[in-house]
Amino acid sequence: MLFYIIMAVSLLAIGGMVHGLKWHFLISGYNTMSPEKKARVDIEKIARLMGIWSYVNGGVFLFMAFLSWRQVEVSMLPAMGFLVITLILMLIRAQKYDGNLYEEDGRWKKSSKIQMALVLGGISLVVLFVGGMLYSSMQPVTAVMESDQLTIRGMYGGSYAYQDITEVKLLDTLPTITMRTNGSAVDSHLRGYFNTRELGKIKLFVDTKLPPFIQFTRGNTTVIFNLMDAKTTTAFYESLEEALKNSEP
């Protein structure tokens, strides 16, 4: 919920400053233009366009925060996808109000086409990178039992020597999560560090919709993970218990 609130407040604040307070110097590129170039920009319409984009997307994230507060399970992907798509549409629409991009006969300048291609190319790369990260975080957890350690692969993964692992349990339910501190939460897929009511800060590699969950402790760190389905997780837990017994001096 905190992520949604931060996004909502940030977007609404941007809209209020650029559109409501007319702080046009916040618009990238405009504040560095010469007076002659500024005169060819309809900054009021650009500010209004940015304001509408900010207000609408701020409202979307505010609604997502409300759903999270009401404990309604919903993926963040639609909200993030809407943000990116409307951002691209806004950038394309904004070019209409910048007279510096056009020749006297109304045709686009060659340099303007290159500039737009670079902007859209940069956004596309960011979208692909974020999309790849989201796709990766939604894949089943990969855990491997090696000769002397358990290795959990992927983002936030690590290796845990058997001799350092204590208190292995098979859980039917997760502890109550209060906040994500350093990790990703895409739909039911949680990766990284989260605060919980019962155990404090823990490390998760779970799909919350696929119990049970394997919990173990190494030093002051509690780790909970599960695999692609209940049968695989249970079998892995039994193998892990056996590996820990065999590693005892």
Side-chain angles (χ1 to χ4, degrees):
M1 184 173 72
L2 181 61
F3 170 77
Y4 295 135
I5 292 175
I6 291 174
M7 287 293 294
V9 170
S10 299
L11 288 164
L12 293 173
I14 290 172
M17 288 185 290
V18 172
H19 177 237
L21 298 177
K22 300 187 184 300
W23 291 2
H24 299 153
F25 62 87
L26 294 176
I27 299 176
S28 178
Y30 179 73
N31 58 329
T32 59
M33 287 183 178
S34 65
E36 293 77 14
K37 287 188 174 183
K38 286 183 177 180
R40 292 174 57 83
V41 177
D42 192 338
I43 195 61
E44 293 292 338
K45 288 185 178 180
I46 291 179
R48 181 176 180 274
L49 182 64
M50 287 188 65
I52 292 173
W53 176 81
S54 299
Y55 300 146
V56 170
N57 280 277
V60 168
F61 280 96
L62 202 59
F63 180 65
M64 294 293 287
F66 172 75
L67 292 179
S68 180
W69 174 64
R70 298 292 297 175
Q71 298 184 337
V72 177
E73 289 191 13
V74 59
S75 172
M76 71 165 65
L77 292 180
M80 296 300 295
F82 183 77
L83 177 76
V84 172
I85 292 172
T86 53
L87 174 61
I88 294 173
L89 294 176
M90 180 193 70
L91 290 174
I92 294 174
R93 180 68 176 177
Q95 310 311 306
K96 177 181 178 181
Y97 305 120
D98 186 354
N100 297 292
L101 303 178
Y102 300 92
E103 302 284 3
E104 294 297 330
D105 59 3
R107 292 182 297 112
W108 272 53
K109 295 179 180 178
K110 184 178 180 179
S111 59
S112 301
K113 294 180 181 179
I114 295 174
Q115 178 181 330
M116 176 57 70
L118 290 174
V119 170
L120 294 179
I123 292 175
S124 299
L125 289 176
V126 171
V127 170
L128 288 174
F129 174 76
V130 173
M133 295 290 286
L134 292 174
Y135 175 79
S136 176
S137 68
M138 294 178 68
Q139 299 308 298
V141 174
T142 301
V144 178
M145 283 186 291
E146 301 175 29
S147 59
D148 60 346
Q149 65 183 12
L150 164 66
T151 298
I152 300 177
R153 295 174 178 168
M155 289 190 302
Y156 306 100
S159 296
Y160 308 89
Y162 294 142
Q163 61 184 13
D164 297 332
I165 294 177
T166 58
E167 299 184 62
V168 180
K169 302 177 182 178
L170 191 64
L171 309 176
D172 291 325
T173 59
L174 290 170
T176 306
I177 298 170
T178 58
M179 182 183 297
R180 178 182 61 187
T181 58
N182 180 20
S184 67
V186 181
D187 197 10
S188 60
H189 303 270
L190 309 182
R191 304 285 190 276
Y193 294 92
F194 294 77
N195 284 339
T196 64
R197 187 174 300 157
E198 297 86 355
L199 301 175
K201 187 176 181 179
I202 65 173
K203 198 173 184 181
L204 295 177
F205 303 90
V206 301
D207 183 339
T208 60
K209 296 179 180 179
L210 296 176
F213 312 94
I214 300 171
Q215 174 185 315
F216 67 86
T217 302
R218 184 187 69 175
N220 296 324
T221 302
T222 297
V223 180
I224 302 177
F225 70 99
N226 65 347
L227 304 176
M228 64 178 66
D229 54 47
K231 183 177 179 180
T232 305
T233 299
T234 301
F236 194 95
Y237 167 73
E238 294 170 353
S239 298
L240 179 59
E241 273 198 318
E242 187 66 26
L244 293 177
K245 289 178 182 178
N246 294 335
S247 69
E248 292 177 354

